[in-house]
């Protein structure tokens, strides 16, 4: 397949499967057939089951795409792993569905491989309805709905059957969380080993909004860095947008990706009815730009596309044949990532923040031991603000469960945008702790460390595991004989490790980071005098003889002899870094908050320090000790002036301070500011309705404009929750029987796993005094109806982010109406709109259906519709607005019957041609 792509230049993938099935209006019987008549759950929508119950329907769709000219058809297995199939009670059918789906597609692809044209099968592997990088609980950012190992096991089970069934590639598509994709790639390697056959690997992500990031917050360069360890055939984008809206993100990806670029966009954006109506011709013209500007090599269609769209793309590819540029070259330097990528070829020196280390920071150890995680995370954020480009995390302590704490702390960091944007260095002497940490990182991190101390086989095994999990690795210069301390031993071990890693384990040289062991100097022992000088010599040798590697070190070890004299220690570090970096060291673990410039060290002290570091005098250590003693004596005699506040309360008006706290997700001054607000505002509720809700509204606007991304919004929600918790006792004290609050039932509808928006709404409405019952995600209509009948809520709120949610909302309100429920229903989510609500959802229900633009509007709208004074007017106004929307839509549809100007111009008479 790879050779065929290189020969042909471009390949055509098939189009949407769900849209083709939707057009057939399949009944429950089509999904069940005779064999599955007794399955307890409703099976409509379980498209993967059709491979067993109605294989002729699946075959017809494959055949239609092959007839349209597709080079690659994808199996009908998007949700065919046990995590997603569990929603239908079909997890026991995973192997059989995938095996039959692969065999069916294989048979048809072989049938159409003729006249010198080969057809290929890609095993479709969807993202599942779980995410590894985002908490399902807004109040517990460290929680996860599934573990890496559980997800990888589910993927492996699916992939083994697909490979056995004969697929040519595994297409890991619609990736919204890069850690899910890393789990899938990890599973793919295991599956190929178990099956005894290698296939190509294709990954396609989806961009969630105009910020150009995935749902889990990564930029396109960060995505590429995170997946760069895998031997991918292609990396690209699908779903989310049409070709026009996808172009900027795809261009950004293509500029840095060393893989062939793929794209299978939707047929435009959904209209007010939740349908896709971009014509094949329009999509063809839009995709021409993808081919030319984003260097797309594999193109196809996603939601809303049909064989007609694929046929149009076939004609486009035939026109564009051969007009393809080579992919971007593979990275020649270390590129690591958090939510954002960093190419260290563009950085002279990488500062790795050291303060999240229980061995090096007593404060951090105390915070972890006391479970004071917010303060512990704040240390990481502060390091980034002070210039740390990587965060080192070490939780090795005898009284700490390092494995559990590593997982918990890294999950917390993932929810903190300031820290999550930079890569993480997993630092531990326990291999199981390192592995646990790596399975929490969606970005490309760094392992600290591996070494030869347990021999070559263990060393290589650890290196291969690091690479499989998508990380760079620090190699400490230890071997079976112990630690390298002099120049000769340092270069001996480094050269041996380099050959093993690059030649036997196939690790790219730029993913190898040597640590030549920074050791304490000026200890009073003569044999230690050359430690720093030999380190610097070894760095220069490695830079010359081991091409491509990075060189790092833990700098604080150097000045261990001068504990308690921090000014001297930082001066020593500055001088050491100056000389080591000049020799070729480009990374170091440092305290970013206390680094001092080399030029700022006073000359007499600098000379004394460099005499020690460069081993220029036999009495160098004695002279530096004398200078240190004199310095400390002078400090003791001087008045203490080294205690400063690290943060100052912003000198802004109170309302602006509270609003800023929400926007920035900063709760450090909430107690003080809210105490002041209680004296300045008439009621506690007015604080929530005023500056706090103003902040929430601005966050919603920034998110909608693509100027904030998801983890920042979640952080805002948690800050809002904390503010409400502070105000809650005061709210309770002022409550009266006339308070206008009620019971709210909230859920993300069936087929949709997204819950961040729903969770924010739940928080906001709780803040407004409502009692919220949250049913979670993937909630079917029958469950919502049953709970509504039991709880008799005053308001029902339905959330959905993806297009199929729109149909499920109609199904849900229909079921509610049939059950005799007519309380107001609120509709929200990225794909929803006022027009769609008026056209499709409201007519299916007997009560008011209210479209809510953002979470900040829920509480005031609920108040209007529940208050005896305003409810009748609110219902009348809603009915008028929805009637006007329907009339405007009908008028627009009537006008759209006119021939588009582009088409009219094509049809103009050509008298002189």
């Amino acid at each position: 397949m790879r050779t065929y792509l290189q020969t042909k230049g471009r390949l055509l993938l098939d189009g949407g499967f769900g849209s083709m099935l939707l057009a057939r209006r399949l009944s429950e019987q089509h999904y069940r057939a005779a064999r599955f008549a007794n399955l307890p759950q409703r099976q409509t929508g379980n498209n993967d089951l059709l491979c067993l119950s109605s294989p002729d329907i699946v075959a017809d769709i494959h055949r239609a795409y092959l007839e349209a000219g597709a080079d690659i058809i994808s199996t009908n297995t998007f949700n065919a792993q046990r995590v997603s199939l569990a929603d239908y009670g079909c997890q026991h059918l995973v192997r059989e569905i995938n095996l039959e789906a692969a065999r069916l597609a294989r048979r048809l692809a072989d049938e159409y491989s003729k006249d010198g044209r080969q057809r290929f099968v890609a095993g479709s592997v969807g993202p599942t309805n779980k995410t590894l990088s985002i908490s399902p609980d807004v109040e517990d950012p460290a929680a996860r709905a599934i573990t890496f190992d559980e997800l990888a096991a589910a993927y492996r089970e699916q992939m083994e059957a697909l490979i056995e069934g004969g697929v040519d590639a595994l297409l890991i598509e619609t990736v919204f969380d890069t850690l899910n994709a890393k789990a899938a790639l990890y599973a793919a390697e295991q599956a190929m080993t178990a099956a005894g056959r290698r296939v190509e690997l294709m990954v396609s992500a989806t961009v969630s909004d105009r910020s150009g990031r995935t749902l889990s917050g990564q930029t396109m360069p960060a995505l590429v860095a995170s997946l760069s360890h895998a031997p991918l055939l292609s990396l690209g984008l699908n779903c989310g947008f049409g070709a026009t809206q996808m172009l900027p993100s795809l261009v950004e990806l293509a500029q840095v990706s060393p893989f062939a670029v793929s794209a299978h966009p939707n047929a435009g954006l959904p209209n007010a009815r939740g349908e896709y109506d971009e014509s094949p011709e329009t999509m063809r013209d839009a995709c021409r730009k993808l081919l030319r500007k984003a260097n797309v090599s594999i193109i196809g269609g996603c939601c809303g596309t049909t064989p007609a769209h694929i046929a149009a793309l076939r004609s486009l590819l035939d026109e564009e044949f051969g007009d393809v540029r080579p992919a971007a070259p593979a990275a020649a330097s270390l590129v690591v990532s958090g939510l954002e990528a960093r190419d260290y070829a563009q950085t002279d020196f990488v500062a790795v923040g050291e303060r999240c280390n229980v061995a090096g920071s007593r404060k951090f150890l105390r915070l972890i031991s006391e479970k004071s995680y917010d303060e512990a995370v704040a240390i990481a954020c502060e390091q980034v603000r002070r210039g740390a480009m990587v965060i080192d995390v070490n939780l090795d302590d005898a009284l700490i469960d390092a494995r559990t704490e590593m997982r918990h702390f890294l999950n917390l960091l993932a929810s903190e945008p300031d820290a999550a944007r930079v890569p993480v260095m997993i630092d531990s002497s326990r291999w199981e702790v390192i592995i646990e940490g790596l399975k929490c990182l969606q970005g490309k991190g760094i392992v600290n460390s591996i070494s030869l101390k347990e021999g070559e086989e263990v060393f290589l095994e650890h290196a291969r595991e690091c690479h499989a999990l998508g990380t760079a690795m620090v190699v400490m210069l230890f071997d079976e004989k112990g630690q390298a301390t002099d120049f000769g031993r340092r270069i001996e071990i480094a050269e041996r490790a380099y050959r093993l890693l690059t030649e036997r384990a196939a690790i790219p040289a730029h993913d190898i980071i040597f640590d030549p062991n920074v050791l304490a100097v000026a200890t009073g022992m003569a044999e230690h005098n050359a430690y720093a000088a030999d380190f610097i010599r070894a760095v220069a040798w490695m830079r010359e003889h081991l091409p491509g590697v990075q060189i790092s070190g833990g700098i604080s070890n150097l000045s261990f002899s001068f504990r308690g004299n921090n000014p001297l220690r930082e001066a020593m570090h500055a001088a050491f870094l100056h000389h080591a970096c000049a020799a070729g060291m480009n990374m170091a673990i440092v305290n970013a908050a206390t680094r001092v410039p080399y030029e700022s060290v006073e000359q007499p002290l600098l000379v004394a320090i460099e005499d020690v570091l460069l081993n220029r005098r036999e009495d160098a250590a004695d002279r530096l000790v004398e200078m240190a003693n004199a310095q400390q004596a002078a400090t003791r005699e001087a008045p203490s002036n080294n205690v400063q506040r690290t943060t100052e309360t912003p000198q802004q008006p109170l309302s602006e301070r509270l609003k800023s706290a929400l926007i920035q997700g900063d709760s450090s001054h909430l107690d003080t500011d809210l105490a002041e607000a209680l004296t300045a505002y008439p009621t506690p509720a007015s604080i929530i309705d005023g500056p706090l809700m103003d902040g929430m509204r601005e966050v919603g606007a920034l998110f909608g404009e693509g100027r904030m991304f998801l983890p920042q919004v979640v952080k805002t929600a948690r800050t809002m929750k904390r503010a409400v918790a502070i105000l809650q006792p005061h709210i309770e004290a002022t409550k009266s029987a006339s308070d206008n609050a009620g019971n709210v039932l909230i859920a993300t509808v069936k087929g949709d796993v997204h819950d961040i928006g729903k969770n924010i709404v739940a928080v906001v409405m709780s803040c407004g005094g409502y009692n919220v019952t949250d049913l979670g995600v993937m909630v079917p209509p029958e469950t919502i109806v049953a709970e509504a009948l039991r709880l008799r809520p005053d308001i029902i709120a339905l959330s959905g982010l993806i297009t199929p949610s729109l149909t499920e909302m109609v199904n849900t309100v229909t079921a509610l109406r049939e059950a005799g429920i007519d309380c107001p229903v609120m509709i929200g989510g990225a794909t929803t709109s006022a027009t769609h609500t008026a056209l499709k959802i409201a007519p299916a229900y007997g009560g008011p259906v209210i479209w809510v633009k953002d979470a900040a509007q829920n509480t005031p709208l609920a108040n209007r519709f529940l208050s005896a004074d305003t409810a009748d007017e609110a219902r009348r106004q809603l009915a008028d607005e929805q009637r006007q929307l329907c009339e405007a839509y009908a008028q627009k549809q009537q006008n759209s019957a006119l021939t588009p100007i582009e088409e009219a111009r094509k049809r103009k008479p050509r008298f002189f041609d």
Side-chain angles (χ1 to χ4, degrees):
M1 189 174 178
R2 187 179 295 261
T3 302
Y4 193 83
L5 174 61
Q6 292 169 347
T7 302
K8 296 294 184 181
R10 289 188 169 119
L11 295 178
L12 179 60
L13 185 67
D14 59 8
F17 221 95
S19 51
M20 294 291 286
L21 291 173
L22 190 63
R24 290 173 176 257
R25 302 184 182 279
L26 302 180
S27 67
E28 181 75 2
Q29 180 58 30
H30 286 100
Y31 287 89
R32 289 183 178 273
R35 177 179 171 186
F36 304 113
N38 296 323
L39 285 174
Q41 287 100 322
R42 182 175 172 82
Q43 295 301 312
T44 299
N46 187 7
N47 294 341
D48 309 277
L49 187 62
L50 295 170
C51 296
L52 303 181
S53 59
S54 299
D56 53 325
I57 294 175
V58 177
D60 286 347
I61 295 173
H62 284 324
R63 192 173 287 108
Y65 282 124
L66 288 165
E67 290 285 353
D71 298 302
I72 308 168
I73 55 173
S74 50
T75 58
N76 180 36
T77 55
F78 184 79
N79 286 311
Q81 27 61 33
R82 62 177 51 251
V83 178
S84 298
L85 286 178
D87 292 332
Y88 297 96
C90 292
Q91 57 268 43
H92 61 291
L93 297 172
V94 168
R95 173 175 166 77
E96 188 177 359
I97 289 174
N98 284 281
L99 195 58
E100 290 304 313
R103 287 171 174 169
L104 174 60
R106 175 81 275 152
R107 185 167 62 252
L108 288 167
D110 291 343
E111 177 185 327
Y112 278 80
S113 293
K114 52 190 176 183
D115 300 327
R117 186 172 178 180
Q118 195 169 349
R119 307 298 179 95
F120 300 95
V121 177
S124 175
V125 178
T128 81
N129 52 21
K130 307 290 184 185
T131 170
L132 289 171
S133 295
I134 302 174
S135 171
D137 182 355
V138 72
E139 296 186 28
D140 183 6
R144 295 294 183 268
I146 194 170
T147 68
F148 183 99
D149 290 335
E150 289 168 343
L151 188 56
Y155 279 135
R156 177 176 175 176
E157 181 183 25
Q158 177 185 19
M159 292 171 171
E160 285 185 11
L162 288 171
I163 294 169
E164 184 179 339
V167 301
D168 300 292
L170 294 171
L171 172 57
I172 301 162
E173 57 181 323
T174 323
V175 171
F176 58 81
D177 180 349
T178 311
L179 188 52
N180 283 35
K182 290 173 74 174
L185 292 169
Y186 186 76
E189 289 296 330
Q190 294 178 325
M192 288 187 286
T193 299
R197 185 169 79 90
R198 293 199 64 82
V199 298
E200 296 291 352
L201 297 173
M202 306 166 67
V203 174
S204 182
T206 184
V207 174
S208 62
D209 55 46
R210 285 180 291 174
S211 70
R213 295 176 184 255
T214 62
L215 183 68
S216 56
Q218 276 203 316
T219 63
M220 293 298 98
L223 172 75
V224 173
S226 299
L227 304 180
S228 62
H229 63 286
L232 302 183
L233 172 69
S234 64
L235 175 61
L237 298 176
N238 75 290
C239 204
F241 293 132
T244 300
Q245 296 77 18
M246 183 183 285
L247 180 60
S249 295
L250 208 57
V251 168
E252 185 182 21
L253 183 149
Q255 288 172 344
V256 294
S257 177
F259 312 111
V261 177
S262 69
H264 43 297
N266 296 339
L269 296 174
N271 60 26
R273 295 177 178 272
E275 300 164 350
Y276 296 89
D277 49 19
E278 186 171 85
S279 70
E281 293 74 21
T282 302
M283 184 175 179
R284 178 183 188 273
D285 292 341
C287 285
R288 187 188 301 275
K289 294 180 181 178
L290 298 186
L291 297 180
R292 293 184 174 180
K293 295 186 177 182
N295 194 25
V296 170
S297 297
I298 300 175
I299 197 162
C302 199
C303 299
T305 57
T306 66
H309 291 84
I310 299 307
L313 294 180
R314 177 76 270 163
S315 68
L316 174 62
L317 286 192
D318 291 343
E319 290 178 14
E320 297 282 334
F321 178 75
D323 182 23
V324 62
R325 300 179 299 279
S333 62
L334 176 62
V335 182
V336 290
S337 63
L339 296 182
E340 299 168 5
R342 183 174 290 274
D343 183 345
Y344 292 126
Q346 302 171 8
T347 306
D348 293 332
F349 175 74
V350 178
V352 181
E354 70 174 1
R355 304 312 292 168
C356 293
N357 185 329
V358 295
S361 169
R362 285 178 292 181
K363 179 180 179 180
F364 187 72
L365 172 61
R366 175 180 60 80
L367 294 174
I368 295 296
S369 300
E370 295 174 353
K371 312 294 184 185
S372 299
Y373 295 116
D374 287 350
E375 293 180 69
V377 169
I379 290 176
C381 295
E382 180 65 15
Q383 288 182 96
V384 175
R385 283 192 286 270
R386 294 295 188 96
M389 303 171 187
V390 178
I391 296 297
D392 179 86
V393 179
N394 185 312
L395 293 161
D396 286 358
D397 183 83
L399 299 179
I400 290 177
D401 181 348
R403 185 172 179 178
T404 299
E405 294 294 347
M406 179 66 78
R407 178 179 64 251
H408 188 83
F409 186 70
L410 291 180
N411 285 348
L412 288 172
L413 282 189
S415 69
E416 181 56 57
D418 284 348
R421 66 184 180 86
V422 304
V424 172
M425 177 180 283
I426 308 296
D427 188 349
S428 178
S429 59
R430 295 169 53 190
W431 186 244
E432 67 273 16
V433 175
I434 287 175
I435 293 300
E436 191 72 30
L438 290 181
K439 291 177 178 178
C440 298
L441 300 183
Q442 72 161 323
K444 179 174 181 176
I446 302 171
V447 162
N448 187 11
S449 61
I450 63 174
S451 76
L452 281 160
K453 64 183 178 183
E454 296 180 74
E456 290 186 359
E457 293 310 313
V458 171
F459 176 65
L460 290 170
E461 177 186 340
H462 287 175
R464 291 183 180 115
E465 187 76 350
C466 288
H467 188 65
L469 289 167
T471 183
M473 60 206 76
V474 174
V475 179
M476 296 293 295
L477 296 188
F478 290 76
D479 66 5
E480 300 88 339
K481 299 176 185 177
Q483 184 180 43
T485 59
D486 60 25
F487 173 75
R489 286 276 289 148
R490 282 181 166 114
I491 66 172
E492 172 195 346
I493 297 174
E495 183 173 28
R496 178 187 175 198
Y498 182 84
R499 302 301 172 201
L500 287 169
L501 292 174
T502 58
E503 296 172 8
R504 288 183 56 184
I507 305 297
H510 57 257
D511 281 349
I512 302 168
I513 305 167
F514 281 113
D515 185 333
N517 303 329
V518 178
L519 304 171
V521 293
T523 64
M525 301 176 67
E527 57 267 34
H528 297 172
N529 290 349
Y531 278 173
D534 279 357
F535 180 101
I536 295 167
R537 287 178 61 205
V539 168
W541 184 92
M542 286 187 282
R543 185 58 66 203
E544 180 180 356
H545 295 90
L546 307 180
V549 303
Q550 323 303 317
I551 304 173
S552 181
I555 303 305
S556 62
N557 293 338
L558 177 81
S559 59
F560 186 79
S561 300
F562 298 96
R563 286 177 298 168
N565 189 337
N566 287 336
L568 175 59
R569 296 190 72 179
E570 293 305 325
M572 290 180 69
H573 299 165
F576 180 76
L577 286 171
H578 174 79
H579 291 283
C581 290
M585 186 171 80
N586 59 344
M587 181 182 297
I589 302 174
V590 297
N591 185 347
T594 60
R595 284 181 62 202
V596 299
Y598 174 77
E599 295 78 8
S600 70
V601 181
E602 294 181 1
Q603 194 62 28
L605 178 61
L606 181 61
V607 171
I609 288 171
E610 290 184 333
D611 283 346
V612 169
L613 299 180
L614 304 178
N615 199 21
R616 295 190 298 208
R617 308 172 51 127
E618 289 186 5
D619 63 346
D622 294 335
R623 294 177 72 249
L624 184 58
V625 169
E626 290 176 10
M627 189 173 288
N629 288 335
Q631 185 184 64
Q632 283 194 317
T635 302
R636 282 194 296 269
E637 294 170 7
S640 177
N641 61 357
N642 60 347
V643 179
Q644 298 178 351
R645 288 189 64 185
T646 56
T647 58
E648 295 290 339
T649 303
Q651 296 305 308
Q652 296 176 295
L654 175 61
S655 60
E656 288 301 311
R657 297 204 303 269
L658 290 171
K659 181 179 173 182
S660 295
L662 266 292
I663 295 170
Q664 297 171 12
D666 180 7
S667 59
S668 59
H669 297 291
L670 275 179
D671 289 281
T672 303
D673 289 343
L674 288 175
E676 181 181 344
L678 286 167
T679 64
Y681 286 80
T683 65
S686 65
I687 302 172
I688 295 172
D689 292 338
L692 295 180
M693 291 305 297
D694 288 343
M696 291 293 290
R697 290 187 189 94
E698 185 157 344
V699 167
L702 293 171
F703 183 59
E705 294 166 6
R707 293 162 60 193
M708 287 182 76
F709 51 98
L710 195 63
Q712 293 169 304
V713 178
V714 177
K715 184 181 177 185
T716 293
R718 290 201 303 275
T719 304
M720 182 69 162
K721 190 71 173 177
R722 290 178 186 176
V724 173
I726 294 169
L727 294 172
Q728 193 65 40
H730 304 279
I731 294 172
E732 294 293 333
T734 59
K735 269 188 177 180
S736 68
S738 62
D739 283 344
N740 187 30
N743 296 318
V744 179
L745 185 67
I746 188 169
T748 299
V749 295
K750 180 182 176 182
D752 197 340
V753 70
H754 304 96
D755 66 351
I756 297 300
K758 171 185 66 62
N759 292 343
I760 293 173
V761 169
V763 170
V764 170
M765 296 200 76
S766 295
C767 296
Y770 286 89
N771 180 34
V772 177
T773 300
D774 188 344
L775 298 183
V777 300
M778 293 285 293
V779 186
E782 53 267 28
T783 300
I784 296 173
V785 169
E787 288 300 297
L789 290 172
R790 184 177 70 85
L791 297 171
R792 293 294 175 182
D794 299 291
I795 293 273
I796 296 173
L798 301 179
S799 174
L801 185 68
I802 58 178
T803 303
S805 304
L806 301 176
T807 300
E808 284 302 324
M809 287 178 175
V810 175
N811 295 340
T812 300
V813 297
T814 300
L816 289 168
R817 185 197 70 223
E818 292 171 350
I821 298 167
D822 63 356
C823 67
V825 172
M826 290 180 162
I827 299 295
T831 58
T832 64
S833 67
T835 303
H836 179 270
T837 302
L839 284 170
K840 291 288 190 177
I841 306 177
Y845 188 55
V849 181
I850 312 150
W851 178 69
V852 187
K853 183 177 181 180
D854 60 62
Q857 296 181 354
N858 281 81
T859 300
L861 281 172
N863 292 343
R864 283 196 66 214
F865 277 86
L866 295 185
S867 169
D869 296 331
T870 58
D872 289 343
E873 176 59 26
R875 288 178 180 239
R876 280 194 296 271
Q877 184 177 345
L878 177 67
D880 287 344
E881 290 173 355
Q882 291 183 339
R883 176 181 51 77
Q884 292 170 14
L885 285 170
C886 290
E887 291 173 354
Y889 180 80
Q891 184 63 42
K892 184 177 180 181
Q893 291 298 103
Q894 184 177 351
N895 293 341
S896 67
L898 299 173
T899 303
I901 185 64
E902 294 84 0
E903 183 62 26
R905 285 170 176 163
K906 290 179 182 177
R907 296 181 184 178
K908 71 179 180 180
R910 298 182 181 277
F911 298 109
F912 304 105
D913 287 357

